Amino acid sequence: MRTGIAPPPPSFKEANAVIETPDFAPGTVWLVGAGPGDPGLLTLHALNALKAAEIVIYDALVSPAILDLIPPGIPREYAGKRGGKPSPQQADISARLIDLAHAGKRIVRLKGGDPFVFGRGGEEAATLAAAGVRFRVIPGVTAGLAGLAYAGIPATTRDTNPALVLATGHLADDNPGGLDWRVLGASDVPIVLYMGLSTLPAIAEKLLAAGRPPGTPAAIVTNATLPTQQVLVAPLNRIAAETKAAGLKSPALIAIGSIVALRDTLAPWQITL
Ligand SMILES: C[S@@+](CC[C@H](N)C(=O)[O-])C[C@H]1O[C@@H](n2cnc3c(N)ncnc32)[C@H](O)[C@@H]1O
């Protein structure tokens, strides 16, 4: 049995010092998640990586407030990919990372949300591995979950859903290897769609045709977690028309399913932005 006086709990300063940044070796790449936009959602490892990096290669959806955390004098290169606009090829981005690693730099590859959730982080990691470049992954808060949370929509509750589908709306057509919208439409599992704004009319139609009730609650969350965040709620059979009428623009998340209705109770009381 242990006796004696228990040591006092660490002060905030001491506890903070315990969170050590892993060693950032020269010639390595850190694939860092920047989260959905609110800089307060950045992890401590991500923040420390930005302070230790010798160069930052960042994506389109990294918010200006987060780019402001890169120390002055540290070069930053834009490697964003936005649908419909000229953008660097993925192969060029990977080649740049490999060149910088071979030059012995400490490189942060900064990606919106989580690098491994619809962020091509897996592809970049595989290319680095194939080139013999060592890398670390710092997960970020993915927009799908943060957007729901900031809109007052719990991702799961015991009463509503034992599962949640995170999907891309990018492949709305019946592409080989794409999603089977009939299966998703026939189930009642809530869906969170990334990159689905332009394909929303087609997706809603497919889900309805496969059996999702027309009154299924749906929500659009644009600019989630940022001061410009907007939320629109409508039934599935009207969500596409109402989104168009409201002129909502990307980046946007789409939530479809019973969880959206919980917002009615939570949102009036929830403190977010
Ligand atoms: C290429 S995916 C990147 C996803 C990212 N890796 C993540 O984990 O959040 C880009 C899509 O994420 C969603 N997205 C990212 N940031 C967002 C934000 N602040 N508000 C709403 N949607 C966002 C949008 O659907 C956008 O089209």
Side-chain angles (χ1 to χ4, degrees):
M1 195 172 95
R2 294 179 63 195
T3 53
I5 301 167
S11 69
F12 172 73
K13 203 171 162 199
E14 286 163 344
N16 205 24
V18 169
I19 303 163
E20 285 174 11
T21 313
D23 180 45
F24 199 157
T28 63
V29 178
W30 285 22
L31 296 162
V32 176
D38 180 347
L41 297 178
L42 211 57
T43 65
L44 286 174
H45 281 344
L47 182 61
N48 289 334
L50 291 180
K51 291 180 185 159
E54 291 172 312
I55 182 162
V56 178
I57 315 270
Y58 67 98
D59 270 354
L61 288 177
V62 176
S63 72
I66 287 173
L67 292 176
D68 283 348
L69 299 170
I70 302 169
I74 298 300
R76 57 184 81 175
E77 288 180 15
Y78 175 70
K81 299 172 80 64
R82 294 306 302 271
K85 297 188 185 150
S87 50
Q89 296 297 310
Q90 187 61 50
D92 296 338
I93 298 169
S94 296
R96 178 76 178 134
L97 294 176
I98 291 165
D99 284 351
L100 288 165
H102 286 160
K105 298 285 184 198
R106 294 179 177 88
I107 307 134
V108 162
R109 175 72 176 105
L110 189 60
K111 291 177 158 289
D114 182 278
F116 278 3
V117 179
F118 302 124
R120 300 190 185 218
E123 289 161 59
E124 288 179 18
T127 316
L128 294 170
V133 172
R134 303 212 60 206
F135 62 88
R136 183 185 291 278
V137 182
I138 307 290
V141 180
T142 190
L145 298 182
L148 253 54
Y150 272 49
I153 302 170
T156 67
T157 75
R158 285 185 294 169
D159 293 334
T160 49
N161 57 313
L164 177 74
V165 171
L166 300 185
T168 171
H170 187 52
L171 303 171
D173 298 332
D174 296 318
N175 294 299
L179 276 168
D180 189 336
W181 295 100
R182 282 165 304 182
V183 172
L184 282 181
S187 116
D188 62 0
V189 170
I191 306 168
V192 176
L193 285 173
Y194 294 67
M195 296 171 278
L197 206 54
S198 60
T199 51
L200 180 58
I203 289 173
E205 213 170 280
K206 281 174 203 268
L207 294 174
L208 291 167
R212 285 264 174 160
T216 302
I220 312 287
V221 186
T222 66
N223 290 321
T225 80
L226 293 166
T228 48
Q229 173 175 299
Q230 282 183 284
V231 183
L232 181 148
V233 177
L236 181 57
N237 63 344
R238 293 215 313 268
I239 191 73
E242 294 203 16
T243 300
K244 190 173 175 207
L248 294 184
K249 298 274 183 301
S250 195
L253 296 159
I254 301 157
I256 299 165
S258 51
I259 51 173
V260 175
L262 302 171
R263 175 178 152 80
D264 293 347
T265 315
L266 302 194
W269 292 94
Q270 185 174 346
I271 303 159
T272 50
L273 302 166

